[in-house]
Amino acid sequence: MLRLILALLYLLALPALAADPIRIGVSGPFTGGSSPMGISMREGIRIAAAELNAKGGVLGRPIELIERDDEARNERGAQVVQELINKQHIVAGLGIANTGVALATQRFYQEARIPVITSVATGSVVTQQFLPPQHPDNFIFRVSANDTIQAAMIVTEAVDRRGLKRVAIFHDATNYGQLGREDLERTLAERNLKPVTVERFNLQQTDMTMQLRRAREAGAEAILTYGIGPELAQIANGMARINWRVPLIGSWTLAMSNFIDNAGPNAEGARMPQTFIPEPTSPRRKAFIEAWRASTGGGRIPVPPAAAQGYDSLLLLAAAIRQAGTTDGDRVREALENLNEKIEGVVMTYRTPFSKDRHETITSVHDIFMGEVRDGRVVFAYDEDRRRASGR
């Protein structure tokens, strides 16, 4: 009789066991100066999770997001990821907005053989930490546009499109800023150019007057930037205070809401590479914008590329789990490297987005667009980009 009861209990438990959630870690800066990126990314991931769960989840199991704030701090990021892996027993990771945090934390995913798709961080070395032959298998993937591609677009905008040869570089003191500055200098050198001055600034620095005066005295015709929203706003506002107006062209973070809001009219005209500009240029993008409004109750996306990239990263991960038929880390990594399902994302439509040797979805300047701040929001800088985004 006891055996019969135990057997019945086992059979009754099977549906519950089959519906155990797929636990996915989401880490990013949800507080502090980088938080517009992290919050936008997190909301994009949440929207994707809700859509997947409404359709029955993945492998008949619901997606459960385990979210942690890394505060944009390297040491905090390391703590968060170790907790997600060792205590929360996640099967994959998404997120990470800051390059320094990515470089400090990805090794824990690699050592645990758990795939992570970096949704936002753009440092060129992010996907290159664990390459063969030292590391036969690389568990780090990315959906954002790396800084090698962004630097090429920034320099093309300043030098080729506008004919400006004397440029200054302003970068923050983080890994992100330092590596971005190297990418810009390398790209300028390909045109036999050097910046007339390179100015470094700290996070939370509120006065850029000294650096701006040096750039003006050096004859800079444009400022190329690598930093995040609050400090970028100080550059724009500082230029206005000393009555000096030259083009401000920089990395994608010039689209952050805390740059646009804090700089106000001084942000107008700033240009930056963008993976996603929130215009309904395709049915998929229109649906995402509407889902954002329904989910958040607001129309404005603080950092649109971060939101779109977060959304797409979960769609790609879900497709890999479906294809693998399991949440085993090695099998999911192999599926990511050989995805055979077409994925209709917000940034792009993905067809075999990764391979064994390529863990970047964005590999060309033609995959993304140049944005511009106009009337307090980011729009397409060029009509040809809008037409391209619309498929026309």
Side-chain angles (χ1 to χ4, degrees):
M1 178 64 72
L2 179 60
R3 286 184 178 179
L4 179 60
I5 292 171
L6 291 174
L8 288 171
L9 289 173
Y10 174 77
L11 291 172
L12 289 171
L14 281 179
L17 289 172
D20 282 351
I22 296 174
R23 295 167 67 83
I24 296 170
V26 178
S27 61
F30 307 140
T31 56
S34 293
S35 61
M37 292 189 290
I39 291 170
S40 298
M41 173 196 75
R42 182 181 64 186
E43 192 61 37
I45 294 171
R46 287 177 176 178
I47 291 170
E51 291 178 0
L52 288 165
N53 286 338
K55 297 176 182 177
V58 180
L59 303 182
R61 299 164 59 187
I63 296 290
E64 181 182 358
L65 303 178
I66 313 298
E67 302 169 350
R68 294 292 184 271
D69 182 6
D70 64 29
E71 302 170 12
R73 296 192 297 118
N74 297 356
E75 62 277 14
R76 174 63 180 162
Q79 293 169 358
V80 158
V81 168
Q82 289 177 86
E83 190 241 333
L84 288 171
I85 293 171
N86 299 323
K87 294 183 179 180
Q88 299 300 324
H89 305 295
I90 60 169
V91 300
L94 299 173
I96 311 181
N98 302 87
T99 293
V101 175
L103 297 177
T105 61
Q106 289 177 161
R107 67 185 179 90
F108 300 109
Y109 285 109
Q110 181 71 20
E111 290 168 359
R113 302 186 74 82
I114 292 175
V116 58
I117 301 180
T118 300
S119 308
V120 178
T122 59
S124 297
V125 298
V126 162
T127 55
Q128 299 171 19
Q129 278 187 295
F130 307 107
L131 299 180
Q134 184 177 358
H135 302 277
D137 301 314
N138 182 5
F139 286 79
I140 316 302
F141 298 80
R142 173 161 53 189
V143 298
S144 54
N146 69 55
D147 288 331
T148 299
I149 290 172
Q150 291 196 57
M153 291 186 68
I154 294 165
V155 172
T156 294
E157 174 68 24
V159 177
D160 300 339
R161 286 185 181 265
R162 301 195 184 198
L164 307 176
K165 306 297 184 185
R166 300 180 62 81
V167 299
I169 295 175
F170 277 54
H171 70 94
D172 70 28
T174 68
N175 281 310
Y176 173 66
Q178 299 274 30
L179 293 169
R181 182 259 305 163
E182 291 176 8
D183 283 321
L184 284 174
E185 288 184 320
R186 189 179 305 113
T187 307
L188 287 167
E190 292 170 359
R191 292 164 170 77
N192 297 316
L193 295 174
K194 290 184 178 181
V196 296
T197 183
V198 176
E199 301 294 341
R200 170 176 160 164
F201 54 87
N202 296 315
L203 295 181
Q204 301 182 3
Q205 185 166 329
T206 58
D207 187 357
M208 304 284 183
T209 304
M210 183 172 61
Q211 293 99 320
L212 288 166
R213 290 190 187 281
R214 280 199 296 262
R216 182 170 65 179
E217 290 167 5
E221 300 171 309
I223 293 178
L224 313 185
T225 64
Y226 256 91
I228 61 172
E231 292 75 42
L232 296 175
Q234 295 299 335
I235 295 172
N237 292 337
M239 292 168 66
R241 279 196 297 272
I242 67 171
N243 195 28
W244 183 46
R245 188 68 177 174
V246 294
L248 195 61
I249 308 166
S251 63
W252 74 282
T253 48
L254 281 168
M256 290 178 69
S257 57
N258 54 8
F259 165 69
I260 295 171
D261 293 347
N262 293 341
N266 300 324
E268 292 294 299
R271 289 192 175 181
M272 74 302 287
Q274 297 285 274
T275 60
F276 168 63
I277 291 172
E279 295 186 17
T281 52
S282 73
R284 197 73 187 87
R285 294 180 185 121
K286 181 181 179 186
F288 177 73
I289 294 167
E290 291 172 350
W292 177 277
R293 290 173 180 154
S295 176
T296 66
R300 186 190 194 191
I301 306 175
V303 186
Q309 291 159 194
Y311 179 89
D312 286 7
S313 64
L314 181 50
L315 294 190
L316 291 169
L317 177 61
I321 293 173
R322 276 195 302 270
Q323 183 170 312
T326 176
T327 57
D328 174 76
D330 280 283
R331 297 275 297 279
V332 174
R333 173 191 54 77
E334 291 169 1
L336 281 168
E337 293 174 340
N338 297 278
L339 274 180
N340 54 33
E341 178 183 343
K342 183 178 77 170
I343 307 298
E344 294 283 354
V346 177
V347 174
M348 64 172 69
T349 297
Y350 301 92
R351 297 177 176 85
T352 318
F354 303 114
S355 69
K356 179 74 173 175
D357 301 321
R358 187 190 72 254
H359 282 204
E360 307 266 7
T361 58
I362 295 171
T363 59
S364 166
V365 296
H366 302 294
D367 292 331
I368 57 179
F369 314 100
M370 185 61 71
E372 178 180 325
V373 178
R374 292 182 201 159
D375 299 322
R377 65 190 187 98
V378 177
V379 300
F380 288 95
Y382 297 103
D383 287 339
E384 63 197 63
D385 280 354
R386 182 180 287 103
R387 289 192 294 270
R388 181 158 56 89
S390 303
R392 298 196 298 268

